[in-house]
């Protein structure tokens, strides 16, 4: 069995192999068949990379030596086999802090003056060294055992992304004013590798007239007094909040100029809120069936696909841990349900039952997400600014608070190019579309403005004061939404649309821009798009929805989604109970160790926690 074209290619590959490696190919044929059956030619690509990895190890003496080093794992990275350090709980913030702390540790051990700089890169850090100390600094860095396995390249932080095969010697960088140092770090299974895009940049600052002059621009100061004494600050001032760090973070040296808060920094706390339901819970199904017997609803309002859980919440929480460690507290709003794997005792996670936030208990039980969302601002202890996630929304790369809020408190919203139809609400309209039309009536009646655009399926940037004002200003419509047990023709979609337009008209919300994509599991080309997403990892956020209730294809859709999510988010978050229920990795769809893209936001300081 298998893809005929793939099998033909495999026979050709086998003929090209040395005799000593053919037995390895034969032993992997069952795995090859499974990958091809599940993924076609992309599965063969995974198998072929594994084979090339074995060839590289057997023919490269250095790789064989690296393979025997403790704490080192060989990974496929940047179209080649590389040695990477195994790092438990790997996240981008850990990679950034590791690279920065190793460099500063060597400099401090040898008494070399330096100061950390707030550069323009979101993913990298920067250390300034007086140009007169260059020879002494590079001598210390070259010989230090702390820098074993480090990779080196020339170029400014914020320049073009590097690849791991761009390794350079110290002599080749003698004319460079900026160097980058990094280590390849991987998770224990070798499924996710971070490298040059989280490097530490070493900048050599020339001295002129008592000033140290920066070789490249930064966000704060390109000239400082050479005689000024350094100050000590936590490393998180330059790396952002470090995921999973226990206790006080290590301190590094900097200048006073780089400790100041800038006008566009978000310094207020931001929480995250999820709504979640376990559609397979027998008791919940019984309550839902009882409620359904009371009236008729649109088929999309009661479709089982709306309530199906494929463990998306686990991976969405992983995405927050990996890419937004600056979030303060995560609130999970449920109908008294809790996933078996959830670590409910974690201090940054709080489970909130519906009964705790609904202002009118007679509205419960509810199976209407619009009704639940109308009550989120009642969560006790919730920050004034927060992000609202559905469990099928994920962060795809490192993000910052400024992606969602302005420093003065304005929230950002992300309008879609899709339009809300201008026709009156009709019984055959999907419930979400009717709610958008109801929002339009509310906004037009208050502000004489007509909303036309839908919103993207992204984390929604919300303010409690706006949500409370909507409840107070439109009590009848708000109450009607709260008391609708299923999505109904009278609903408002408050958190995903009305909040944003009301906030815009009251000068508290503004449009924003974010790299985003939406995928429907039922679409025929979704597998190809998931592969592309794994390969590029260039979206800030993405949504994977399931709009079809088809039992014949449900198992295949679930398998495809689970494989993708476990590949994209292989590192367990602290919100999961340790144990055997953590999913095991099955196979790689693509070369999943491509570097996470580096990017710059020159008008904003991002790592300020």
């Amino acid at each position: 069995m298998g893809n005929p074209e793939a099998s033909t290619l495999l026979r050709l590959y086998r003929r090209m192999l040395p005799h000593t490696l053919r037995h390895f190919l034969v032993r992997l044929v069952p795995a090859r068949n499974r990958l091809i059956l599940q993924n076609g030619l992309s599965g063969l690509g995974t198998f072929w990379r594994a084979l090339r990895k074995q060839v590289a190890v057997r023919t490269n003496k250095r790789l064989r030596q690296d393979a025997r080093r403790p704490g080192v794992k060989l990974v496929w990275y940047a179209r080649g086999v590389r040695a990477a350090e195994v790092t438990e709980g790997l996240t981008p913030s850990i990679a950034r802090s590791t690279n920065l702390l190793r460099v500063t540790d060597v400099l401090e051990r040898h008494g070399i003056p330096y100061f950390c700089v707030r550069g323009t890169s979101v993913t990298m850090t920067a250390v300034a060294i007086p140009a007169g100390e260059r020879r002494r600094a590079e001598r210390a860095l070259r010989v230090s055992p702390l820098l074993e396995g480090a990779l080196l390249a020339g170029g400014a932080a914020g320049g073009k992304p590097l690849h791991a095969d761009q390794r350079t010697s110290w002599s080749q960088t003698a004319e460079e004013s900026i160097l980058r140092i990094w280590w390849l770090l991987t998770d224990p299974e070798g499924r996710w590798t971070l490298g040059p895009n989280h490097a530490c940049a070493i900048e050599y600052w020339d001295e002129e007239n008592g000033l140290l002059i920066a070789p490249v621009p930064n966000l704060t100061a390109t000239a400082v007094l050479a005689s000024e004494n350094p100050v000590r600050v936590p490393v998180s001032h330059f790396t952002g909040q470090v995921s999973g760090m226990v206790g006080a973070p290590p301190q590094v040296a900097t200048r006073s100029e780089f400790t100041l808060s800038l006008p566009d920094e978000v310094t207020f706390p931001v929480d995250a809120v999820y709504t979640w339901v376990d559609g397979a819970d027998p008791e919940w199904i019984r309550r839902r069936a009882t409620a359904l017997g009371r009236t008729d609803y649109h088929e999309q309002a009661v479709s089982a696909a709306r309530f199906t859980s494929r463990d998306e919440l686990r991976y969405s929480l992983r995405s927050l841990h990996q890419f937004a460690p600056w979030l303060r507290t995560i609130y999970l709003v449920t109908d008294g349900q809790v996933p078996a794997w959830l670590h409910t005792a974690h201090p940054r996670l709080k489970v909130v039952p519906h009964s705790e936030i609904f202002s009118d208990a007679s509205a419960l039980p509810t199976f209407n997400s619009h009704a639940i969302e109308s009550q989120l601002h009642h969560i006790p202890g919730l920050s004034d600014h927060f992000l609202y996630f559905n469990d099928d929304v994920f962060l795809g790369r490192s993000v910052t608070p400024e992606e969602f809020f302005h420093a003065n408190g304005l929230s950002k919203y992300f309008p879609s190019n899709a339009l809300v139809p201008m026709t009156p609400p009709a019984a055959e309209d999907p419930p979400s579309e009717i709610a958008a039309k109801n929002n339009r009536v509310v906004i037009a009646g208050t502000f004489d403005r007509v909303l036309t655009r839908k919103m993207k399926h992204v984390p929604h940037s919300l303010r409690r004061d706006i949500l409370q004002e909507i409840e107070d200003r439109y009590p009848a419509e708000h109450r009607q939404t709260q008391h609708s047990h299923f999505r109904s023709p009278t609903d408002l979609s408050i958190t995903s649309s009305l909040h944003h337009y009301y906030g815009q008209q009251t000068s508290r919300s503004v449009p924003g821009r974010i790299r985003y994509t939406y995928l429907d599991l039922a679409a025929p080309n979704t597998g190809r798009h998931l592969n592309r997403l794994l390969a590029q990892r260039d979206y800030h956020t993405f949504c994977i929805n399931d709009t079809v209730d088809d039992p014949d294809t449900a198992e295949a859709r679930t398998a495809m989604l689970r494989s993708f999510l476990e590949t994209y988010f292989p590192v367990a978050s602290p919100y999961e109970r340790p144990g055997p229920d953590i999913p095991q990795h099955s196979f790689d769809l693509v070369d999943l160790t491509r570097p996470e893209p580096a990017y710059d936001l020159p008008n904003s300081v991002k790592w300020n926690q």
Side-chain angles (χ1 to χ4, degrees):
M1 295 181 66
N3 184 308
E5 183 180 355
S7 298
T8 300
L9 285 172
L10 188 65
R11 284 195 296 272
L12 292 175
Y13 292 153
R14 184 177 175 183
R15 293 174 187 172
M16 297 161 53
L17 290 174
H19 178 74
T20 56
L21 289 173
R22 290 185 185 179
H23 73 284
F24 175 76
L25 178 64
V26 173
R27 286 192 291 112
L28 288 186
V29 163
R32 180 264 303 183
N33 287 339
R34 175 170 58 87
L35 290 169
I36 292 173
L37 283 171
Q38 293 177 338
N39 252 33
L41 286 179
S42 66
L44 180 62
T46 299
F47 174 76
W48 182 236
R49 281 192 298 275
L51 188 62
R52 286 180 60 189
K53 180 177 177 180
Q54 292 295 321
V55 173
V57 172
R58 297 185 184 209
T59 58
N60 188 302
K61 180 179 179 181
R62 181 171 182 174
L63 286 178
R64 289 199 301 273
Q65 293 173 343
D66 287 336
R68 291 192 290 267
R69 287 167 50 200
V72 172
K73 191 176 187 67
L74 298 183
V75 297
W76 182 272
Y77 188 89
R79 300 184 179 88
V81 180
R82 312 291 175 195
E85 291 186 26
V86 174
T87 305
E88 292 284 349
L90 179 63
T91 65
S93 63
I94 288 177
R96 278 192 298 274
S97 59
T98 296
N99 292 327
L100 175 61
L101 288 173
R102 287 183 178 178
V103 170
T104 57
D105 194 9
V106 171
L107 297 176
E108 290 179 2
R109 286 170 183 259
H110 289 81
I112 297 168
Y114 77 91
F115 54 93
C116 294
V117 176
R118 304 180 77 174
T120 61
S121 174
V122 168
T123 60
M124 302 184 206
T125 56
V127 170
I129 298 175
E133 298 284 351
R134 176 167 187 159
R135 291 186 61 185
R136 201 159 66 95
E138 293 190 356
R139 188 182 307 117
L141 294 168
R142 279 200 308 269
V143 303
S144 174
L146 295 176
L147 267 66
E148 181 182 2
L151 298 168
L152 175 72
K160 292 184 178 180
L162 294 176
H163 295 290
D165 52 0
Q166 290 180 273
R167 186 167 186 169
T168 312
S169 68
W170 288 98
S171 60
Q172 291 174 305
T173 61
E175 302 301 320
E176 298 277 0
S177 60
I178 296 144
L179 309 179
R180 283 194 268 183
I181 297 178
W182 72 94
W183 286 259
L184 285 183
L185 305 177
T186 190
D187 70 288
E189 301 300 322
R191 295 170 292 179
W192 193 34
T193 304
L194 299 178
N197 293 320
H198 300 88
C200 174
I202 296 179
E203 302 177 358
Y204 293 110
W205 288 41
D206 289 321
E207 184 171 354
E208 297 178 11
N209 302 321
L211 296 175
L212 292 174
I213 310 297
V216 291
N218 60 61
L219 296 177
T220 306
T222 55
V224 298
L225 290 173
S227 59
E228 182 184 341
N229 292 324
V231 295
R232 308 283 295 181
V233 296
V235 67
S236 56
H237 188 73
F238 299 99
T239 64
Q241 186 70 36
V242 181
S243 304
M245 180 173 286
V246 179
Q251 294 198 332
V252 292
T254 187
R255 295 298 184 93
S256 59
E257 291 87 344
F258 299 106
T259 65
L260 305 174
S261 294
L262 301 183
D264 50 3
E265 293 182 66
V266 169
T267 57
F268 48 78
V270 180
D271 291 338
V273 175
Y274 282 91
T275 52
W276 181 81
V277 63
D278 179 6
D281 177 13
E283 178 59 25
W284 181 88
I285 292 174
R286 184 192 63 77
R287 294 198 305 271
R288 178 172 175 267
T290 301
L292 268 176
R294 300 173 186 168
T295 185
D296 294 329
Y297 295 93
H298 190 284
E299 62 178 0
Q300 285 193 17
V302 297
S303 170
R306 293 201 50 79
F307 308 101
T308 300
S309 173
R310 295 188 174 91
D311 243 4
E312 295 99 332
L313 178 63
R314 180 197 299 268
Y315 299 99
S316 188
L317 286 172
R318 287 186 182 185
S319 77
L320 266 60
H321 173 65
Q322 292 175 9
F323 300 127
W326 42 267
L327 288 168
R328 187 184 67 171
T329 305
I330 297 172
Y331 294 91
L332 179 63
V333 178
T334 79
D335 187 13
Q337 301 170 311
V338 177
W341 50 263
L342 192 68
H343 180 28
T344 55
H346 193 280
R348 293 179 59 196
L349 176 71
K350 299 185 185 302
V351 178
V352 182
H354 293 169
S355 59
E356 192 171 325
I357 63 173
F358 267 68
S359 59
D360 188 346
S362 66
L364 298 174
T366 186
F367 309 90
N368 180 5
S369 61
H370 290 155
I372 300 167
E373 291 165 358
S374 74
Q375 305 296 304
L376 296 184
H377 57 293
H378 297 156
I379 295 175
L382 180 66
S383 60
D384 292 335
H385 299 78
F386 66 98
L387 298 181
Y388 170 51
F389 285 79
N390 293 125
D391 63 359
D392 57 3
V393 172
F394 309 86
L395 298 179
R397 60 187 286 181
S398 296
V399 297
T400 66
E402 290 83 359
E403 240 89 54
F404 304 99
F405 297 97
H406 285 285
N408 59 3
L410 296 180
S411 64
K412 297 182 181 181
Y413 64 91
F414 306 98
S416 167
N417 290 327
L419 300 180
V420 179
M422 296 298 290
T423 55
E428 63 271 14
D429 288 345
S432 59
E433 199 165 279
I434 293 180
K437 293 179 179 180
N438 293 339
N439 292 345
R440 178 160 57 205
V441 172
V442 168
I443 293 297
T446 305
F447 303 105
D448 195 24
R449 292 289 189 272
V450 178
L451 68 86
T452 60
R453 298 173 70 180
K454 298 179 180 179
M455 295 291 167
K456 295 177 178 178
H457 290 72
V458 297
H460 293 292
S461 316
L462 303 178
R463 291 174 45 143
R464 294 184 74 175
D465 61 336
I466 295 178
L467 294 174
Q468 185 62 54
E469 193 169 315
I470 289 173
E471 180 177 6
D472 296 339
R473 191 162 190 171
Y474 310 107
E477 295 89 342
H478 197 278
R479 177 177 173 81
Q480 190 76 28
T481 299
Q482 178 186 183
H483 283 260
S484 297
H485 295 286
F486 292 88
R487 289 193 172 190
S488 303
T490 56
D491 282 357
L492 301 174
S493 50
I494 296 175
T495 57
S496 60
S497 176
L498 182 58
H499 168 283
H500 306 315
Y501 283 114
Y502 187 92
Q504 180 196 45
Q505 294 303 311
T506 57
S507 304
R508 286 173 286 180
S509 295
V510 293
R513 299 181 66 182
I514 197 167
R515 283 190 57 81
Y516 149 86
T517 189
Y518 173 89
L519 299 173
D520 186 345
L521 281 178
N525 60 350
T526 296
R528 179 169 59 84
H529 289 307
L530 291 177
N531 276 333
R532 187 263 174 210
L533 200 56
L534 280 172
Q536 300 299 325
R537 295 176 178 260
D538 55 349
Y539 288 104
H540 291 103
T541 180
F542 55 87
C543 175
I544 305 178
N545 207 339
D546 192 3
T547 59
V548 176
D549 185 13
D550 182 1
D552 295 334
T553 61
E555 186 175 348
R557 297 199 307 273
T558 298
M560 177 173 62
L561 178 63
R562 179 66 63 86
S563 294
F564 167 79
L565 293 176
E566 184 62 22
T567 303
Y568 204 108
F569 306 109
V571 178
S573 78
Y575 312 117
E576 300 173 46
R577 294 180 184 273
D581 62 330
I582 294 179
Q584 298 300 309
H585 178 61
S586 53
F587 57 88
D588 299 343
L589 301 182
V590 295
D591 179 4
L592 56 133
T593 53
R594 294 274 189 89
E596 179 192 357
Y599 64 103
D600 305 327
L601 294 174
N603 297 322
S604 172
V605 177
K606 296 303 180 182
W607 301 117
N608 63 323
Q609 303 300 311

